[in-house]
Amino acid sequence: MNTETALKTSVCILGSGPAGIVLGNILLKNGIDCIIIDKYNREEIYARGRAGAIESTTVQLLEKHDLAATLLKNGYTQGSCEFRYPSGSITFDYGALSGGDLHYVYPQSDFNDDLIQQYQAAGGKIFYHWEGKKIVQSEAGVTLECYDSDGKKTVTIEADFLAGCDGYHGLARQSIPPQAVTTYSKQYNYCWLAILVAAAPSAPGAIYGVHPDGFAAHLRRNNEITRYYLQIPPADKLEDWTDDRIWANLQKRLAQEGWNLNQGEILQKRMMELRNYVMEPMQYGRLLLAGDAAHIITPMGGKGLNLAVQDGAVLAETLIGYYLENHALSYLDRYSQIRLPYIWRAQEFSYNLLNMVHLPEGSNTEDVRFLQKLGEAKLAQLKTSPTFAQNFARNYVGIV
């Protein structure tokens, strides 16, 4: 059975991740009709969240729109991190250096679900298991054809604008002709093994391990869950990394005298390719992209979730201005103009931090040795150069 249903709205939002749900909440609060659709159900969306460090600038933006209450209540603050290497370590008090700005650590899955609950409690329309199939634009608006998997029917949504918040592999990005935008990308020749462990954190903050065998990281998620990362060759397979091998490498790469690594059940392990991607502009006519649909950043420095939330908020504010002040369609160009400088600043920071602490790319031994020394020199400036340390701290915590 395949009957058709037609809906109308001002803004149709494809995807209910951080960018989409922030956008939907802000539009709803300002009286602009919107519909969110997602091809996953709420439980599947919850399971996809992996990040957890929320920057000070992101928190301020959420507070501005009355979206931060649960985060502020249930999250905890973090103002320092540690860089470890075989001959010593640097404890970096970025909170003090940035003038008191901190990270809030709160799992993305909980953060996103809180905002879904807030959106639905306010009467927001969200449809799960609806998958976008085709986007058609005209001078007057945009039409999204989607499929309701539960109802076994095709649904057509007519809107003034479509917000593509459905990720890199989603329909929105793929619906933009390649010649209409400029894209920039970078692929790395190493991967991360991402590990989620049911164990109390072994330190109060993030630990970045700089080691001849490759990078390792310890990231607290809450009092019972810890996330770890290991730099590994791209040719490795998941089955190559047994639990015993994982723990041996974490112990070795994060070692410090007098420090113990808390072990527990490994709940999840997966391979992560590292890449960067930016699309300019983040718009094609009445189709506007936010979050991973418009840009990809490595997890180094915890920028991805923050960029997505900031995209959602700025896009919402741009659309509100368009509607309330009766602007021409060209007014929406300001969305990309505002966001892209911040996105590139985050890309630059993440890239440089990645190179500071990772075993360099390449097979030429002399090149690798040289790049390692450059990374060590930059890392040392966190201790020796107050100007460098302060600028690094401000960018790390999100003051860009």
Side-chain angles (χ1 to χ4, degrees):
M1 184 177 179
N2 188 3
T3 59
E4 284 215 17
T5 300
L7 300 173
K8 288 189 176 183
T9 189
S10 296
V11 182
C12 178
I13 302 169
L14 196 53
S16 63
I21 198 62
V22 167
L23 171 60
N25 269 290
I26 298 174
L27 291 178
L28 195 64
K29 286 174 180 291
N30 286 272
I32 295 174
D33 186 59
C34 60
I35 291 174
I36 300 177
I37 73 162
D38 202 300
K39 67 179 181 179
Y40 300 102
N41 63 31
R42 190 166 170 179
E43 292 73 24
E44 291 167 326
I45 296 163
Y46 185 89
R48 289 167 63 86
R50 298 184 179 98
I54 302 175
E55 298 172 347
S56 59
T57 44
T58 305
V59 174
Q60 291 162 15
L61 201 54
L62 291 165
E63 287 183 298
K64 175 182 175 182
H65 295 289
D66 193 27
L67 297 175
T70 309
L71 161 67
L72 295 173
K73 178 183 177 183
N74 296 328
Y76 65 89
T77 57
Q78 185 171 287
S80 67
C81 62
E82 183 182 357
F83 295 90
R84 287 187 183 175
Y85 41 95
S87 60
S89 69
I90 298 171
T91 298
F92 187 63
D93 190 353
Y94 61 84
L97 286 164
S98 67
D101 288 278
L102 307 168
H103 282 113
Y104 270 82
V105 179
Y106 189 52
Q108 178 184 330
S109 50
D110 293 327
F111 168 76
N112 203 81
D113 202 59
D114 293 342
L115 293 183
I116 288 176
Q117 183 173 332
Q118 187 167 340
Y119 176 76
Q120 291 183 307
K125 291 170 281 190
I126 183 166
F127 298 99
Y128 302 109
H129 279 169
W130 284 27
E131 183 173 2
K133 294 295 186 182
K134 186 178 181 182
I135 297 169
V136 179
Q137 293 199 54
S138 69
E139 290 186 8
V142 59
T143 300
L144 173 68
E145 181 184 300
C146 52
Y147 185 70
D148 172 6
S149 299
D150 295 334
K152 309 293 184 190
K153 62 182 179 181
T154 298
V155 181
T156 300
I157 303 174
E158 296 178 3
D160 297 332
F161 301 101
L162 178 65
C165 308
D166 54 340
Y168 180 82
H169 298 289
L171 174 68
R173 190 190 68 85
Q174 296 177 37
S175 298
I176 297 179
Q179 65 274 17
V181 292
T182 303
T183 60
Y184 303 87
S185 62
K186 159 71 177 166
Q187 187 82 31
Y188 296 85
N189 73 349
Y190 50 77
C191 294
W192 276 5
L193 182 67
I195 307 124
L196 195 67
V197 178
S202 304
I207 303 173
Y208 300 115
V210 185
H211 195 274
D213 289 352
F215 168 76
H218 161 287
L219 300 170
R220 177 181 176 183
R221 281 294 169 258
N222 57 38
N223 291 332
E224 292 85 32
I225 300 291
T226 307
R227 181 170 289 284
Y228 294 97
Y229 294 118
L230 286 169
Q231 179 186 359
I232 62 174
D236 281 13
K237 295 180 173 56
L238 202 57
E239 54 266 29
D240 296 331
W241 285 88
T242 63
D243 289 5
D244 287 345
R245 186 183 180 192
I246 288 171
W247 288 118
N249 272 268
L250 288 172
Q251 292 276 9
K252 184 178 182 181
R253 299 188 200 183
L254 295 172
Q256 187 180 62
E257 188 176 351
W259 180 79
N260 294 311
L261 178 68
N262 294 332
Q263 297 190 21
E265 179 188 358
I266 294 180
L267 304 173
Q268 181 189 91
K269 53 183 173 181
R270 65 187 185 93
M271 303 274 290
M272 289 179 61
E273 289 188 1
L274 299 181
R275 59 196 169 103
N276 304 84
Y277 173 90
V278 180
M279 175 186 289
E280 296 186 0
M282 297 161 61
Q283 174 188 0
Y284 175 62
R286 293 175 176 270
L287 170 59
L288 301 109
L289 305 186
D292 286 357
H295 46 79
I296 298 286
I297 192 167
T298 75
M300 199 73 224
K303 299 295 182 185
L305 168 61
N306 292 281
L307 289 178
V309 171
Q310 293 162 16
D311 284 354
V314 173
L315 179 53
E317 292 170 352
T318 305
L319 288 166
I320 290 164
Y322 168 84
Y323 280 110
L324 297 186
E325 299 168 16
N326 236 2
H327 286 287
L329 194 63
S330 59
Y331 178 80
L332 297 177
D333 294 347
R334 72 195 309 268
Y335 167 58
S336 290
Q337 293 165 3
I338 292 169
R339 288 302 301 146
L340 282 168
Y342 285 89
I343 289 161
W344 279 113
R345 183 72 175 268
Q347 292 277 5
E348 186 267 343
F349 177 83
S350 180
Y351 176 80
N352 283 328
L353 178 55
L354 199 76
N355 288 323
M356 282 170 63
V357 297
H358 278 70
L359 192 65
E361 298 181 273
S363 56
N364 184 299
T365 304
E366 288 303 308
D367 284 351
V368 168
R369 290 177 65 243
F370 182 81
L371 292 171
Q372 276 185 288
K373 293 302 289 185
L374 290 182
E376 290 172 13
K378 185 162 280 190
L379 189 61
Q381 291 181 70
L382 292 176
K383 292 178 72 173
T384 62
S385 171
T387 301
F388 177 83
Q390 185 177 50
N391 187 58
F392 183 95
R394 289 172 63 86
N395 281 281
Y396 184 59
V397 79
I399 307 171
V400 292

